């Protein structure tokens, strides 16, 4: 039997594991407290667990913390973590301070298979899904790098990959983040962003997780969206918005629509007006993301007046619209700039 990664187990599952190893249930809760509350990832350091139990745990399980390969600080205070996983794959997460918030942007896949034309991660293709332990391991790794008094306050699934294309691991990670006996985050502090996978949105609607949902919309006609985002050929705007309208939003919560502004492509006043019409029957707010440049991309960021004019049209129609000036642009950590070169394949021994 292969060893299980303790970072992937919910507190009740840690209790069951403890029972199976001949210990009382509460040992599982102690274990959960070490892993998720105290941020201790070394069985030897878990001083209130019997030595015998720790050594049996060591035989049956492990703690697969991603290794921090480097941390790149940005001028704006954000930091990019390049993490190396057990099989050598590399992913990135980004820590972003903003007033009293500290947000961690998490990856869910190595690369991404959706090939949005404006996204650098999309040029990588998909290598593999992350496990739930590798998703929560990004928070564990960030915590270890932080001084004890600072705490990650918000989690966004907006790094490399498409969360809903790695559905089971994403949902398990969400349960680990929100379970009171695990990380214990309020679901209101967590946002899952999707390219617009209608089946995934419908499944998520039934999970009763109450996390925030963000939709990468980026265009107001199927023609333009289909050119920018190949996924639109499977799930067109009408299907996507129908799924959004049916998504059960908690009271006072709104769905976020992300809209990357591309010069001369989707940034006209007509686009802004069409966007207000599309969102008419959704409790929505719009996050405008001026395009973040990357080498060899065919797009440009619109001039500032055009960005503000687009925003103004939404505001006039009563739609909350903010402009997200991405963080970490100088270190390639902004929206759509995450990419890590693959390591050369090692010759098998
Ligand atoms: N796959 C998910 C999660 C990624 S979130 C999704 O598509 O939503 C990253 C956000 O940044 C997405 O809205 C994505 O479309 C946007 N983005 C991608 N490339 C970008 C770029 N070069 N400039 C600005 N935003 C970009």
């Amino acid at each position: 039997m292969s060893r299980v990664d303790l970072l992937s187990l919910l507190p009740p599952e840690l209790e069951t594991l403890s029972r199976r190893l001949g210990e009382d249930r509460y040992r599982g809760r102690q274990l959960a407290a070490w892993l998720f509350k105290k941020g201790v990832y070394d069985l030897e350091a878990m001083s209130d667990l019997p030595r015998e139990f720790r050594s049996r745990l060591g035989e049956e399980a492990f703690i697969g913390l991603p290794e921090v390969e480097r941390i790149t600080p940005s001028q704006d205070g954000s930091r990019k973590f390049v993490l190396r996983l057990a099989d050598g794959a590399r992913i990135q997460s980004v820590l972003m301070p903003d007033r009293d918030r500290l947000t961690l942007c998490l990856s869910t896949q190595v690369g991404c298979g959706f090939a949005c034309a404006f996204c650098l991660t999309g040029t990588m293709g998909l290598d593999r899904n992350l496990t739930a332990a590798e998703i929560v391991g990004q928070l564990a790794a960030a915590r270890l790098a932080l001084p004890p008094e600072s705490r990650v306050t918000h989690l966004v699934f907006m790094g490399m990959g498409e969360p809903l294309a790695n559905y089971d691991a994403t949902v398990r990670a969400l349960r680990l983040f929100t379970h009171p006996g695990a990380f214990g985050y309020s679901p209101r502090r967590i946002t899952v962003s999707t390219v617009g996978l209608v089946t995934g949105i419908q499944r998520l609607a039934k999970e009763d997780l109450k996390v925030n949902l963000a939709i990468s919309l980026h265009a107001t006609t199927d023609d333009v969206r289909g050119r920018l985002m190949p996924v639109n050929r499977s799930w067109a705007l009408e299907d996507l918005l129908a799924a959004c309208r049916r998504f059960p939003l908690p009271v006072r919560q709104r769905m976020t629509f992300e809209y990357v502004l591309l010069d001369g492509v989707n940034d006209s006043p007509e686009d802004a007006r069409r966007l207000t019409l599309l969102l008419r029957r959704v409790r929505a707010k719009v996050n405008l993301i001026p395009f973040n440049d990357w080498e060899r991309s065919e797009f440009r960021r619109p001039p500032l007046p055009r960005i503000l004019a687009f925003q103004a049209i939404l505001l006039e129609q009563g739609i909350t619209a903010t402009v997200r000036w991405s963080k970490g642009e100088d270190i390639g950590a902004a929206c759509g700039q995450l990419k890590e070169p693959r390591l050369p394949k090692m010759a098998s021994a």
Side-chain angles (χ1 to χ4, degrees):
M1 203 181 77
S2 64
R3 296 191 304 158
V4 60
D5 193 334
L6 292 179
L7 280 180
S8 71
L9 297 185
L10 287 155
E13 295 168 334
L14 290 170
E15 290 181 25
T16 307
L17 176 65
S18 302
R19 291 282 299 210
R20 198 161 58 69
L21 299 184
E23 286 286 339
D24 202 88
R25 282 188 180 286
Y26 81 91
R27 296 291 183 203
R29 288 195 290 275
Q30 285 178 305
L31 195 50
W34 282 112
L35 293 168
F36 303 120
K37 306 272 189 230
K38 299 179 205 166
V40 170
Y41 308 108
D42 173 9
L43 289 172
E44 289 314 301
M46 301 182 178
S47 48
D48 59 359
L49 298 179
R51 192 176 303 275
E52 164 69 14
F53 177 51
R54 277 183 273 157
S55 76
R56 291 220 46 203
L57 268 176
E59 287 159 20
E60 302 247 345
F62 67 103
I63 304 169
L65 206 60
E67 182 193 318
V68 178
E69 190 169 289
R70 61 174 192 279
I71 302 177
T72 314
S74 157
Q75 305 213 334
D76 61 25
S78 62
R79 276 177 282 176
K80 178 166 85 174
F81 285 68
V82 177
L83 303 172
R84 217 184 126 102
L85 307 175
D87 65 347
R90 286 139 110 210
I91 52 163
Q92 303 179 346
S93 29
V94 186
L95 202 51
M96 301 170 291
D98 187 16
R99 280 162 297 185
D100 53 348
R101 288 186 178 200
L102 185 58
T103 302
L104 183 66
C105 179
L106 301 162
S107 295
T108 53
Q109 298 183 310
V110 184
C112 184
F114 286 87
C116 299
F118 46 80
C119 179
L120 180 60
T121 310
T123 65
M124 292 177 65
L126 176 66
D127 278 357
R128 68 168 174 88
N129 281 331
L130 297 186
T131 63
E134 288 168 334
I135 298 172
V136 304
Q138 296 169 65
L139 175 59
R143 275 183 163 185
L144 284 177
L146 284 172
E149 68 278 9
S150 66
R151 185 181 142 77
V152 174
T153 61
H154 292 75
L155 297 166
V156 297
F157 285 60
M158 298 188 181
M160 301 164 92
E162 165 55 35
L164 299 185
N166 183 12
Y167 188 85
D168 293 337
T170 293
V171 167
R172 176 167 280 271
L174 290 170
R175 297 206 185 285
L176 286 159
F177 286 140
T178 53
H179 194 291
F183 289 102
Y185 278 92
S186 156
R188 309 198 65 147
R189 290 167 175 254
I190 302 177
T191 302
V192 174
S193 178
T194 175
V195 73
L197 285 187
V198 169
T199 40
I201 295 168
Q202 289 166 340
R203 272 181 88 183
L204 197 64
K206 299 198 193 98
E207 302 282 354
D208 197 32
L209 277 161
K210 299 194 168 68
V211 296
N212 300 297
L213 187 62
I215 308 287
S216 289
L217 198 66
H218 304 329
T220 59
T221 64
D222 281 319
D223 177 42
V224 175
R225 195 166 190 270
R227 275 187 281 135
L228 296 175
M229 306 174 73
V231 70
N232 199 74
R233 296 170 208 163
S234 315
W235 304 112
L237 279 170
E238 198 182 295
D239 309 318
L240 175 56
L241 287 158
C244 293
R245 283 193 290 271
R246 269 184 239 118
F247 194 81
L249 281 179
V251 274
R252 286 195 296 278
Q253 205 153 313
R254 279 175 300 176
M255 197 173 284
T256 301
F257 289 83
E258 295 158 288
Y259 195 97
V260 58
L261 286 166
L262 307 168
D263 190 24
V265 176
N266 64 357
D267 63 340
S268 70
E270 296 74 57
D271 281 306
R273 279 189 281 274
R274 265 196 302 270
L275 184 55
T276 65
L277 295 178
L278 282 178
L279 298 183
R280 233 177 354 193
R281 286 159 55 219
V282 198
R283 238 157 60 220
K285 59 182 171 196
V286 174
N287 216 322
L288 300 168
I289 319 174
F291 174 66
N292 296 309
D293 206 6
W294 41 274
E295 216 179 311
R296 287 195 298 275
S297 98
E298 55 182 299
F299 301 103
R300 271 171 309 150
R301 176 180 288 192
L304 183 61
R306 209 160 158 90
I307 296 173
L308 298 178
F310 196 99
Q311 182 188 27
I313 293 173
L314 300 180
L315 294 176
E316 275 161 28
Q317 297 301 314
I319 296 184
T320 309
T322 49
V323 181
R324 184 202 294 168
W325 296 103
S326 294
K327 299 225 163 221
E329 228 193 314
D330 55 335
I331 54 166
C335 307
Q337 289 185 324
L338 300 183
K339 181 180 179 183
E340 267 306 304
R342 283 187 189 92
L343 297 173
K345 284 257 185 315
M346 283 205 278
S348 50

